[in-house]
Amino acid sequence: MGDAMERTTLDGTWTVEAVEGPPESDAFRTPVEAVVPGCVHTDLLRAGRIDDPFDGDEEAATQWIGDTVWRYRRTFEWAGDADAQRHDLVADGLDTLATIELNGIVVATTRNQHRSYRFPVGHLLRPGTNEVVVTFDAPVPAAERLSELHGGELPHVNHHPYNALRKNASNFGWDWGIDVATSGIWKSIGIESWSGARIAAVRPLVDVDGTSGVLTAHVDVELAGSSGRFSQAIGNAPVASAGAAAAAGLEARITVAPHRATAARSATDTAPPGQNVVTGSGAVAGGSATVRVVVPDVAVWWPRGEGDQPLYDVRVEVGDDVWTGRVGFRTVSLDTAADAGGAPFLLRVNDRPVIVRGANWIPDHAFLTEMTPARYAARIDDAVAANMNLLRIWGGGIYESDDLYDRCDELGILVWQDFLFACAAYAEEPWLADEVEPEVREAVTRLSPHPSLVVWNGNNENLVAYAEWGWRPSLVGRTWGNGYYRSLLPAVVAELDPTRPYTPGSPFSFDEYLTPNDERNGSVHIWDVWNRLDYRAYADWKPRFVAEFGFQGPPAWSTLTAVVHDEPLDPDGHQMLVHQKADQGNRKLADGMRGHLPEPTSIEDWHFAAQLNQAHAIRFGMEWFRSRTPDNTGMIVWQLNDDWPVVSWALVDHAGIRKPVWYAVRQAYQPVLLTVQPGAGDAQGGLDVVLVNASGAAVSDEVTVSRVRFDGTVLAAESFPLAAEPADADRVTLPSFLGAPDDDASEVLVVTGAGTRTVFDFAEVVDQRLTPAPFTASVSATPDGAQVTVTASSYARDVSLFPDRVDAAARVDEGLVSLLPGESVTFTVTGAPGIDTAALTSPLVLRHAGSLLG
C-alpha cells in the first residue's frame, strides 16, 4: 500500500450470531462479541459460551458449530477521502463460503479461504454510520451438499468431504488433528481509498549471473478508472484492462539496496546503509510493467549451513503508490534426471548440492488466528536448533503467513511449498476449478519474493492414491485433480515463477510408467513401518529421497494431563483416545515397542516408553537413510509440530515442549554425522562406521572406535581415517574384534571424531543389563530455573530430564544423553524461576532407559 492509499480498518470488535443450525445453536441467536481477525470458536470461547474444544471430550460437544450458519456484523463511521476515485472493500481472508453486505446491499459472495478479495464499494458508502455484515454458510453441511450436487463424494480420507471446498483441509480433522470446522473473518478486512494507479501485485524474481544479481520485477497495476466490478486475482495480468491506454504515462521505478540488518550482520555485505543502491524503471503498459535491475558484486543468499543469508530491500513505485519487500539472490534447481540407480531428487542452490534435513509443517494451531508471529518464530527456532535446513509446508493446511517465510529467509531454512491438495480427489469442473486458478496465482505471486522458497509441489499423496489406494475404479471416469497437477499448476508456475522447480506431487517418481512411490526414483513416503512393521524395517528401504516418514509418541506429560482427565489415567481411556486420532494408534504404539522396550507396568512408564520408542525409531530410520548419502539426497520427517494437544508424530508438542524425539532428530541431523550401520554387502552381520557430510565443506579426520563394557572397561579400540566431500559419505568396515561383542547385553561401541560422537548399542533396551541406578545427580537453582548435573557410574542410556512434570512452563536444553562411567552432562532448566529443585531428581522427572527395566 502506498503513501497515497488511505485504509479504514474494519478489524477489531464485531458481533457474531447463529442464523441457522442444529438445536445447540438456538442459544446463540443473540449476538456475542467477536474479534476480527478471528473465528467463531475463539469468539465463543472468549465469551465463556463454550468450553475449550481441546479439553476432555469437548471436541464432540462443539461439533454443532461447524453445522451452523454464522453472521458477523459491525457498524463504522465513514468520512473517507472525498477526493479518492476508488473505495474498495478488501478482505484478506474469509473462511469460507461468505456473503458480504454493505448497508443492506449484497457486495459479493466468496468461496475460498485461500485467497483475498477486493470489491469497489464507493457507491454503497454513505457519510456517517455504515454497517457491514458477513454471513458464513455452515462448512460441514456445505461440503456435503456440494459433493452431492456434483455427483456424490469424491474419494477422501477422514470423515468429512473437505475436498468439495477450498478450505484448510485439516480444519475438518486429520489423523493428528481435531475436527473444529471454523467460520470467520480470519485475516484483516478494511476499506482502501485511492486514486490514479494502484500496485496490485509485484513478483520480484531473482537470478545470479556471475558476480551480479539480476532482479526482474513484474509489476501489475490497476487504474482507478477501470470499469466494472473488480475481484482481485493477483498475478492474473493484466489486472486492469479498461483505461489501460492511460497507463502509458506511468512508470514503475525500482530501487534495490542491501537490507540494513543484513548489512550489519553479514561478512559478505558490509557496505553502510545507503550505499550499493541500484535503481531501474520501466513503462507501465497494458496494466503491467517489467523492470530488470542488475546488482553488481551481489552478496549471494545460501541455505543454512552453506553460507550467509544476505537480503536486499526492494522498493517499487508507480505514481504515488509504493510496494516494499525483500529478496535474496540465489539460483535453485532440482535434478531428477535418470541415472544408473533410477532417478535422484537432488536440490541444488547456487549450483551446489544440498542434502535436505527437513521436517513437514502443519498449521501450528487448529484456530489459525492463534498463530502469532512469536509462535511462528518459536517453531522455526525449534527447526533451526534441530539442525534442519528445510520445512515442507504440507498441502492439507494453508499458504502460511509471511511471518513464517520471512523468518525462514532470515535464518536460511529452505521451504518446500505444497499447493493445497491433500489425500483426496478434487473435481476439475468449473464449480471448483474456477476458484483454484485465482487461488494459485495469488499464492505464487505473494510468495515469490522469498528466497527460502525453493520447491513448488502439486499435491500431497493424490497421485499415489490414484495408483495404489483404489481410487481409479471408484472414480468411474470422473475428474480427480490430475489436470491441476499436470497442466494448470505447472503452467501457472512457468508463467509467474519460472525461477523455481515444480513437482507434480509427493511422492513422485518423475516417470509416467512408474508407480509414484518407487524408492529408486524421486521422492517416497514411508508409512508401512508405522502402520504395520517393526521400525527396523526402515533398513529394508533404499530411497533416493524421503518426503514423509514418521513414528508416533505422546506429548509431554504436562501437555497431555492438561486435557486428558481419565480416572485412572490409561492409554485406552476415553479422553486419551479422543486425543489419539490415528487409526488404532495406541495399539500401534504398543506393537512398536515390542521387542525393543519392556512392557510398561504403569501409565508413567507407558508415557516414557512410548516417547523413547518414538525417538529410537526415528533416529534409526534417519541414520539409515543418511548413511546412504549420496544415493539418498535427503529426508523430511513427519512432523515438526502439532495443531492441538494430541498423541502424534510431532517432534514438538502443542505447548511448545520438545519431545525426546526432537533430541534424537537433532543428533541424527548433525551436519557431520558418525553412524554405525550394517556392513555394505556383508552377509555375516558385520558393521560399518559411516561418516556423512552435509556441512558444506570437506571433512577429514581420524575416527576412533572403542568397544566398551558398561562398567567403562575398554575391551578393544582402533582408529581409522575417514574423509568425505560435501554432500558425500565415507565408510570403513570394522574388524570383528570391534564389531562383534563378547556380550551384546553389556557392551557398546563408542565412535568419536570429526567433532562428534555416537554410542551404538549392540542390543535393545529390553535385552540389556542396564543398571537401575547408573548415575548420581546434583541440582543448583538459577534465576530462571535450575541446573541438574548427572554423573554416570555405569553406562546410562538415554538420560532425559522432564521438568514440565514439576512446572509446565519449564524447558530443558538437553535430552537422550548416553553416558559412560565418569562422564557428566548438565541439563539447564529455564522458564521456571523458583522451581522445586529437589523434585527435579525424582525418578519420574530424571529418567533413563534402564528405569523401564524395573
Side-chain angles (χ1 to χ4, degrees):
M1 185 187 303
D3 299 332
M5 184 81 71
E6 178 182 301
R7 183 179 176 94
T8 301
T9 184
L10 297 178
D11 295 348
T13 302
W14 292 53
T15 63
V16 64
E17 61 192 283
V19 176
E20 178 185 341
E24 296 95 328
S25 69
D26 292 344
F28 297 87
R29 303 290 194 238
T30 301
V32 174
E33 183 177 286
V35 173
V36 170
C39 74
V40 67
H41 287 76
T42 54
D43 292 330
L44 299 183
L45 186 60
R46 187 183 302 107
R49 300 294 298 275
I50 61 171
D51 292 326
D52 185 354
F54 294 177
D55 190 59
D57 197 14
E58 289 302 313
E59 176 188 16
T62 55
Q63 287 300 290
W64 62 272
I65 298 174
D67 293 333
T68 299
V69 177
W70 295 97
R71 178 167 292 151
Y72 280 75
R73 184 190 306 268
R74 72 160 288 171
T75 59
F76 64 97
E77 298 301 309
W78 178 254
D81 184 354
D83 295 327
Q85 294 176 271
R86 283 279 293 270
H87 305 286
D88 295 338
L89 178 67
V90 180
D92 292 336
L94 300 171
D95 178 17
T96 290
L97 301 178
T99 299
I100 308 166
E101 299 173 75
L102 180 59
N103 294 326
I105 304 298
V106 173
V107 174
T109 59
T110 70
R111 299 185 292 147
N112 196 326
Q113 182 182 11
H114 303 308
R115 56 179 290 206
S116 62
Y117 296 91
R118 175 182 292 267
F119 305 104
V121 293
H123 59 296
L124 300 178
L125 290 166
R126 58 196 183 203
T129 301
N130 291 253
E131 183 182 56
V132 59
V133 176
V134 184
T135 304
F136 293 96
D137 200 354
V140 174
E144 294 169 345
R145 182 179 69 249
L146 286 167
S147 293
E148 292 307 310
L149 181 63
H150 296 288
E153 290 189 14
L154 287 165
H156 61 85
V157 298
N158 304 316
H159 50 291
H160 297 306
Y162 60 84
N163 46 338
L165 294 180
R166 295 310 297 155
K167 175 176 169 64
N168 171 13
S170 62
N171 189 222
F172 291 95
W174 214 261
D175 57 4
W176 39 257
I178 186 172
D179 179 0
V180 281
T182 54
S183 296
I185 305 169
W186 76 288
K187 290 187 177 182
S188 185
I189 187 170
I191 296 172
E192 292 183 359
S193 302
W194 57 284
S195 298
R198 179 184 72 85
I199 298 173
V202 176
R203 288 178 289 117
L205 305 182
V206 300
D207 196 3
V208 178
D209 183 4
T211 61
S212 296
V214 180
L215 175 73
T216 304
H218 302 268
V219 184
D220 292 341
V221 178
E222 185 187 13
L223 304 179
S226 298
S227 62
R229 191 165 80 170
F230 172 67
S231 175
Q232 182 170 327
I234 292 177
N236 193 5
V239 172
S241 54
L250 288 173
E251 186 177 70
R253 299 175 296 278
I254 314 294
T255 304
V256 183
H259 185 64
R260 287 173 178 254
T262 301
R265 181 181 70 244
S266 172
T268 62
D269 184 4
T270 56
Q275 294 188 18
N276 289 356
V277 175
V278 182
T279 62
S281 63
V284 175
S288 65
T290 300
V291 182
R292 186 174 185 269
V293 179
V294 177
V295 181
D297 300 318
V298 73
V300 177
W301 188 97
W302 290 97
R304 187 168 188 82
E306 304 283 341
D308 292 329
Q309 294 80 45
L311 298 171
Y312 286 75
D313 290 320
V314 178
R315 180 180 175 91
V316 180
E317 300 171 79
V318 177
D320 293 327
D321 202 10
V322 176
W323 178 96
T324 59
R326 297 185 309 187
V327 299
F329 289 93
R330 54 99 187 97
T331 63
V332 58
S333 63
L334 183 64
D335 180 4
T336 61
D339 60 21
F345 188 99
L346 177 59
L347 190 66
R348 296 181 186 272
V349 177
N350 302 322
D351 293 326
R352 184 185 297 175
V354 176
I355 302 299
V356 169
R357 293 167 285 135
N360 285 273
W361 171 280
I362 65 171
D364 199 50
H365 203 291
F367 304 127
L368 298 177
T369 51
E370 300 301 300
M371 291 161 57
T372 62
R375 190 170 179 92
Y376 277 114
R379 290 298 78 73
I380 296 168
D381 288 350
D382 287 329
V384 169
N387 294 311
M388 294 179 186
N389 63 4
L390 181 142
L391 292 174
R392 175 190 173 212
I393 313 302
W394 170 72
I398 60 173
Y399 303 108
E400 286 288 351
S401 165
D402 282 320
D403 293 325
L404 181 148
Y405 305 99
D406 286 343
R407 186 78 170 172
C408 290
D409 292 344
E410 295 161 2
L411 296 177
I413 297 294
L414 302 174
V415 174
W416 159 327
Q417 177 69 58
D418 280 11
F419 288 103
L420 302 184
F421 304 91
C423 301
Y426 290 83
E428 298 172 43
E429 285 69 39
W431 69 272
L432 194 65
D434 285 352
E435 283 298 324
V436 169
E437 182 167 0
E439 168 197 318
V440 300
R441 285 182 170 275
E442 177 169 353
V444 171
T445 298
R446 178 174 73 87
L447 300 181
S448 64
H450 295 285
S452 56
L453 177 57
V454 293
V455 175
W456 291 107
N457 178 57
N459 72 86
N460 176 74
E461 297 188 337
N462 295 344
L463 300 177
V464 72
Y466 182 82
E468 299 181 11
W469 294 5
W471 283 12
R472 186 179 176 189
S474 68
L475 288 167
V476 196
R478 297 174 68 186
T479 61
W480 56 276
N482 193 48
Y484 297 141
Y485 319 135
R486 305 302 183 100
S487 180
L488 174 65
L489 298 179
V492 170
V493 171
E495 175 194 345
L496 300 182
D497 186 17
T499 67
R500 293 175 174 91
Y502 168 82
T503 72
S506 182
F508 190 64
S509 294
F510 297 93
D511 192 301
E512 296 301 316
Y513 301 98
L514 297 173
T515 179
N517 207 36
D518 184 341
E519 66 175 353
R520 296 163 297 177
N521 294 276
S523 60
V524 298
H525 292 190
I526 300 177
W527 286 112
D528 57 348
V529 172
W530 158 252
N531 283 312
R532 58 185 179 84
L533 301 175
D534 183 87
Y535 69 69
R536 291 196 170 269
Y538 280 129
D540 295 334
W541 284 79
K542 298 178 176 61
R544 306 300 298 268
F545 186 94
V546 188
E548 282 189 21
F549 71 108
F551 209 91
Q552 270 203 354
W557 182 264
S558 61
T559 305
L560 186 67
T561 56
V563 295
V564 173
H565 316 293
D566 296 319
E567 291 290 348
L569 200 61
D570 183 87
D572 295 317
H574 173 68
Q575 291 187 15
M576 183 75 81
L577 294 181
V578 168
H579 293 81
Q580 164 60 279
K581 294 300 185 182
D583 180 40
Q584 302 180 68
N586 280 7
R587 179 192 63 76
K588 294 173 183 177
L589 283 177
D591 289 347
M593 294 182 211
R594 201 161 293 122
H596 299 284
L597 300 173
E599 189 80 20
T601 58
S602 68
I603 186 63
E604 290 84 4
D605 277 0
W606 172 85
H607 181 266
F608 176 53
Q611 286 199 327
L612 185 61
N613 202 55
Q614 179 188 26
H616 285 179
I618 291 302
R619 184 173 181 181
F620 178 87
M622 293 175 75
E623 292 197 9
W624 166 250
F625 300 144
R626 287 198 68 190
S627 76
R628 296 188 54 77
T629 305
D631 189 65
N632 177 277
T633 58
M635 67 204 72
I636 311 176
V637 66
W638 187 274
Q639 67 214 58
L640 177 66
N641 55 329
D642 270 332
D643 76 342
W644 75 308
V646 65
V647 182
S648 82
W649 298 267
L651 313 181
V652 182
D653 75 16
H654 185 66
I657 298 178
R658 296 167 175 175
K659 294 158 65 172
V661 66
W662 182 91
Y663 298 96
V665 168
R666 181 177 67 174
Q667 293 162 8
Y669 270 167
Q670 296 173 85
V672 178
L673 173 71
L674 285 172
T675 180
V676 179
Q677 295 293 332
D682 188 341
Q684 304 303 313
L687 297 176
D688 285 0
V689 170
V690 188
L691 172 69
V692 186
N693 182 16
S695 69
V699 173
S700 178
D701 202 4
E702 287 283 320
V703 173
T704 299
V705 183
S706 304
R707 183 160 58 87
V708 184
R709 207 157 49 204
F710 285 1
D711 64 4
T713 302
V714 177
L715 301 172
E718 190 163 331
S719 296
F720 308 89
L722 286 174
E725 293 298 314
D728 208 346
D730 192 14
R731 66 173 61 220
V732 61
T733 298
L734 297 180
S736 59
F737 68 83
L738 285 173
D742 298 327
D743 179 7
D744 60 2
S746 61
E747 297 176 23
V748 294
L749 276 183
V750 181
V751 185
T752 58
T756 187
R757 181 184 97 151
T758 190
V759 177
F760 175 78
D761 293 273
F762 286 109
E764 301 288 350
V765 171
V766 69
D767 297 319
Q768 288 179 313
R769 288 193 291 275
L770 295 167
T771 304
F775 54 71
T776 59
S778 61
V779 188
S780 60
T782 66
D784 195 33
Q787 288 191 325
V788 180
T789 299
V790 174
T791 302
S793 53
S794 179
Y795 176 54
R797 182 174 180 180
D798 295 322
V799 182
S800 300
L801 184 71
F802 299 96
D804 70 286
R805 294 187 67 116
V806 182
D807 184 333
R811 302 293 183 264
V812 65
D813 65 332
E814 278 289 355
L816 291 184
V817 181
S818 292
L819 301 172
L820 294 168
E823 294 179 340
S824 297
V825 64
T826 296
F827 297 94
T828 299
V829 177
T830 55
I835 193 171
D836 181 352
T837 55
L840 290 174
T841 58
S842 68
L844 295 181
V845 177
L846 182 58
R847 300 213 61 158
H848 60 100
S851 66
L852 292 169
L853 294 170

